[in-house]
Amino acid sequence: MQSTVFTILFVKLLCLITLHGMTAVLAELPSPSNIRITSINMGLVLEWDPPQNHTGNLTYRSEYKWNSIRSSYRGVCWDTTALCCDFTSHLNKFGVYTFQVRAEREGETSPWVETKEFVMDEHTTLGPPSVTLVSSGANIEVSIEDPVLRISEFKEIYNHATFNITYWKEGQEKRVKRMNGIQLHEVVLELEQWTRYCFQVLVVTERFFKQSQPSNVTCESTAKGKDRPWVMALGMFVVMAVSVPLVFLAFWHCYRVVSFLRPKVKLPGHFTVYLLDPQCSSILALQSSPQPDEVYHEVSIMPGGTETERESALWWTEHKAHNQTD
């Protein structure tokens, strides 16, 4: 009889303990759900959803731990009703971290919810590069800028990166052309004239072989193209081949004209004076020229000659005497 009583009391006590434990479990504050990390360009935000089937005012506390140096958890956000916490300013670009969050209400706390290990330079998502297009004739120059990181320079972490360029004619998106592994930040493409082209670029890093988000689609139109170098060279050759002989002929013609107007053989002095001053050219010519030697013959007056012959002989005699006097 006594054993039966003890048995009944033991069962009642066990039921009370079990009921109290169940009540305590049911009263425990539930933890946040769907905890996740959003990291773009080395920025990091921890996000979560409120506990399921819960009513009432809740606040949250979130912390991080740097696993590389075995540190303890450090709080960043507390007593906040927001469903996110930005850890960016507390992190190192090469750090390895773990994050946790819990719900709180009037002194009650939920169990911690912890994330997996997160490696900053490996797990962060690279945002899109910036792309600028400049049209010059039938050419389009594509200028690319690296993604801008929040806690470091891009080249300090991903010093070896290339670009994959995709472009197509506007309205022909299914007929794309690709240029992969481009190392230059500026590329000039020779395209069709009077055509509109669209471009999209993404970055590929050698470290961890990461691909960035693609850039926004950017479009630009080409115009009339410039002549190709070999065409310009041919045109210059033709111009030179025609112009050089013409210049030579013109020079030769001018030389002939000048030679005719200014001959190398000098004219006698009295000719030059005559040409310069026709009125006195005859007098000057006579004064400057030497006296010519006169040739004469002795003439004898024959007694039996005619009157005319005697006058001629007398004139020659007088002319000779005059010349000798001079």
Side-chain angles (χ1 to χ4, degrees), residues 15-25:
C15 290
L16 289 175
I17 294 173
T18 303
L19 182 60
H20 178 76
M22 292 178 64
T23 303
V25 170

Side-chain angles (χ1 to χ4, degrees), residues 133-162:
L133 303 179
V134 177
S135 176
S136 176
N139 297 335
I140 291 182
E141 178 181 343
V142 184
S143 299
I144 308 170
E145 295 183 6
D146 298 322
V148 179
L149 305 185
R150 293 186 61 184
I151 61 174
S152 176
E153 295 294 331
F154 184 85
K155 290 299 183 183
E156 293 180 2
I157 305 174
Y158 310 105
N159 55 348
H160 296 289
T162 58

